[in-house]
Each structure stands twice: as C-alpha cells, then as structure tokens.
Amino acid sequence: MSLRPWVAAAVLMFPLTALADTPNIVPGQWQFTSTTSVKGDVPIPDQTDSHQECIVQGDLDDADFQFLEVEEGCELLEHNVSADGVDYRMICRAEGGEANIDGRMDFLGERVEGSVNIDTESPMGQMRLETAIEGERLGEC
C-alpha cells in the first residue's frame, strides 16, 4: 500500500471554501515546503518537498479557491475556516487501506505555517506521518 496519495492529499489540501473573509495571505509568488517524518517500526528517512505557486487576489476572492487539487479517495469530515487559518479532519481510502488525517494551517500574511498528522495501518504495521508545512511569499508573480 503506497502512502504517497494520502500524504499528497493531506499536505496539499487547504480548503478555503465557505470563507466569509479573504484569507490573510498577501498575493504574489509563494514557495511552500513540507517535511514529512514517518514514525513506526520501519525506519524511513524524512522527505522534503517544495513547490512555488503564484497566488493572485482573484484566487483569494474565489469561494472555491484551494492551494492545490485534492486527491481522489479522500473525504473531508470536518473543517473550520477563518481568515487566519484552517483546521480540518479527513479520511482517505486507497488500495484497501485507510488513513485518518488531522491538519492545521495558519495564514500569517506573507507566510503560512501548519502541520498535518496522518495515522494509518500499512503492511509494515501502524504508522504515523507527521508533516510540517511552511510557506513564504517571495515577491510579485
């Protein structure tokens, strides 16, 4: 069972739907970095991913704006959204397995920070993935 779809879904999903106020994010070119640590019986090295994205004011004003696409097989169970951040809980199902995901992202103007914890049962046993996420505005697009 591959964990990649669950990690991608959890790390990349920051829904801003139903947001009454514009998110506290300054438009521009952004860089997002996530570092995932796997806790379990099998030693797996930390994995760091990074990408850049241009966020314009129109994106932030759009009620359906999301930082990135959500992976199939995931169901959002709960989310609390404000201009200052988002908390969410979801479940993802893939390849006969299931992952419980809890996430938090704080919107801090020219930077964002957050975390995602994923608990799953795999062929290697119970595993917990802990991901720290940081984003910073680099300048204009």
Side-chain angles (χ1 to χ4, degrees):
M1 172 175 56
S2 171
L3 298 174
R4 185 175 268 313
W6 293 342
V7 172
V11 171
L12 303 178
M13 180 183 172
F14 303 113
L16 302 177
T17 56
L19 187 62
D21 298 321
T22 301
N24 183 18
I25 296 173
V26 178
Q29 185 70 24
W30 281 74
Q31 178 161 326
F32 296 94
T33 303
S34 62
T35 301
T36 301
S37 301
V38 179
K39 311 296 182 198
D41 295 334
V42 178
I44 298 175
D46 289 358
Q47 294 183 5
T48 299
D49 292 307
S50 159
H51 77 277
Q52 288 189 15
E53 180 175 346
C54 177
I55 299 175
V56 298
Q57 187 62 48
D59 293 332
L60 299 172
D61 293 338
D62 184 349
D64 295 324
F65 175 70
Q66 293 184 9
F67 278 95
L68 294 172
E69 288 186 36
V70 178
E71 295 289 322
E72 286 187 40
C74 294
E75 176 187 354
L76 188 62
L77 301 174
E78 176 181 318
H79 69 133
N80 300 305
V81 186
S82 71
D84 295 323
V86 59
D87 290 294
Y88 66 93
R89 191 170 60 86
M90 68 180 180
I91 190 165
C92 293
R93 295 176 181 92
E95 300 177 28
E98 189 172 279
N100 293 297
I101 302 166
D102 291 298
R104 170 75 192 161
M105 179 63 64
D106 294 313
F107 305 141
L108 304 166
E110 293 200 4
R111 58 186 192 87
V112 297
E113 57 186 42
S115 63
V116 178
N117 294 316
I118 304 171
D119 292 301
T120 186
E121 185 70 34
S122 76
M124 297 179 283
Q126 182 70 29
M127 297 179 73
R128 180 174 182 93
L129 289 77
E130 298 175 351
T131 301
I133 303 160
E134 295 180 351
E136 67 177 330
R137 184 178 183 275
L138 301 175
E140 297 300 318
C141 295

